[in-house]
Amino acid sequence: MKVIISDYAVSMMEDHDYEFKILKQDHPDWTIKSITYDPENLTKFNTELFDADALITAFIPVNSQLFDKAPKLKLVSINAMGFDKVDLKSAAEHGVRVCAVSDYCSEDVAEFTLSLMLSLTKQLKAYSKILSSDHLWKYSALPAQKRLSKQTLGIFGLGKIGQKVARMAKGFGMKILAYDPYLPPEIAANLGVTPASATQIYKEADIVTNHMRLTANNRYFFNKDAFNQMGQGQRPFFINVARGESVDENALLQALDKSLIKGAGLDVLSSENPDLENQPLLKFPNVILTPHTAFYSINSIAELQRISCQNVINFFEKKFECITNFIDERQEVTK
């Protein structure tokens, strides 16, 4: 029995000791390998994958090309909540099950979202630049912003993270609108959140924050038309802590250049391995860019490693009912 832990260099955790401990605790005979995924040189990865029974990953492309190189593969355990890098149809065709982590960091991401909201509204990056570069000690160097209790927050995706953001934002006295066509209306009602269309949010929100799971239907959801609508409304701050491919980055750049939005807080980009030396978003004093770190805490990392590894153990021990979030196309587990 062989388990591979692999991802891009920028996404690989520095220490896999905890994962090795979990996987080997009751199965000391299992072979566990951690391998950096280098798309420019896949020789080592493919060699190790060839006789692997399970793969633990978050961001590498899991598709027919990968499955063709892994004839023994039975399970892909996604150590993340999103699974947009997985070709589920191909997984089913190759007889490979796929599971993901249902929740391990919703509280952390919600806290991070509020951090970005406060940092953008209070213009911390721009003030820091004025002080360090211009040596200017002047509060009125930047335009005053409304306090949060006088602002409207528009949430896209009112799942676990979106709901926590709503509860935290309620503590600041914000009015909250939410777009989520799949959400039972009673959930929004219990939160004191008003369901709204995307157009209504673009028109009324002072801050727009994205927490939607990426699907084929909402890829590049925030496009030129969306940002133009924001520009005709309150010119909101825009926050994305979900998936980078939810946003058309060229349209976002144009929105910033044309001041259709007041600024942006981005924890994700369209690539998980971005070219930062040539990244135009870094030039804006009203853009806060972080390296997909919203989830990152001591607590979340431990949970992420534990759950994704326990899913592997449960699968090969045939404890299918204990696995979190099977996501492939089949409805029944063959026992």
Side-chain angles (χ1 to χ4, degrees), residues 139-155:
Y139 67 84
S140 59
L142 297 171
Q145 303 293 322
K146 292 187 290 185
R147 60 182 59 153
L148 288 185
S149 63
K150 301 299 181 182
Q151 295 195 46
T152 296
L153 173 64
I155 299 176

Side-chain angles (χ1 to χ4, degrees), residues 177-212:
L177 306 175
Y179 170 85
D180 193 327
Y182 307 104
L183 186 77
E186 60 269 19
I187 292 180
N190 291 337
L191 287 168
V193 171
T194 303
S197 66
T199 298
Q200 182 183 354
I201 292 177
Y202 296 151
K203 180 180 178 181
E204 299 181 15
D206 299 283
I207 301 171
V208 171
T209 181
N210 176 39
H211 304 285
M212 294 188 295

Side-chain angles (χ1 to χ4, degrees), residues 46-249:
N46 287 336
T47 298
E48 294 291 355
L49 187 68
F50 179 76
D51 60 347
D53 298 276
L55 169 66
I56 299 176
T57 188
F59 299 112
I60 69 175
V62 179
N63 50 30
S64 59
Q65 289 84 1
L66 182 143
F67 295 129
D68 288 342
K69 300 288 186 181
K72 290 185 62 181
L73 195 66
K74 302 174 186 67
L75 178 71
V76 176
S77 178
I78 304 297
N79 57 346
M81 293 167 66
F83 44 86
D84 49 283
K85 301 300 182 184
V86 182
D87 183 338
L88 297 177
K89 181 179 179 181
S90 182
E93 290 173 349
H94 285 79
V96 178
R97 297 304 312 263
V98 181
C99 58
V101 178
S102 59
D103 187 13
Y104 71 100
C105 65
S106 57
E107 186 172 352
D108 305 280
V109 177
E111 291 174 353
F112 200 87
T113 303
L114 268 292
S115 298
L116 288 174
M117 286 170 52
L118 287 164
S119 297
L120 289 167
T121 300
K122 303 305 180 184
Q123 304 174 102
L124 299 187
K125 179 181 177 181
Y127 274 120
S128 179
K129 183 178 184 300
I130 288 171
L131 285 166
S132 59
S133 299
D134 304 333
H135 304 135
L136 180 63
W137 185 269
K138 187 178 182 180
Y139 67 84
S140 59
L142 297 171
Q145 303 293 322
K146 292 187 290 185
R147 60 182 59 153
L148 288 185
S149 63
K150 301 299 181 182
Q151 295 195 46
T152 296
L153 173 64
I155 299 176
F156 283 82
L158 203 62
K160 293 177 181 178
I161 295 172
Q163 290 175 35
K164 284 184 168 65
V165 170
R167 292 189 185 97
M168 292 179 184
K170 277 284 182 180
F172 287 96
M174 301 183 77
K175 176 183 176 181
I176 304 174
L177 306 175
Y179 170 85
D180 193 327
Y182 307 104
L183 186 77
E186 60 269 19
I187 292 180
N190 291 337
L191 287 168
V193 171
T194 303
S197 66
T199 298
Q200 182 183 354
I201 292 177
Y202 296 151
K203 180 180 178 181
E204 299 181 15
D206 299 283
I207 301 171
V208 171
T209 181
N210 176 39
H211 304 285
M212 294 188 295
R213 186 186 298 278
L214 183 66
T215 69
N217 295 326
N218 63 21
R219 184 171 268 104
Y220 307 125
F221 186 93
F222 300 99
N223 52 27
K224 183 177 180 180
D225 180 62
F227 288 116
N228 283 339
Q229 290 186 60
M230 293 183 205
Q232 295 168 13
Q234 300 299 316
R235 294 177 50 250
F237 288 109
F238 176 75
I239 294 171
N240 186 21
V241 293
R243 284 290 185 259
E245 290 174 276
S246 298
V247 180
D248 181 334
E249 287 181 9

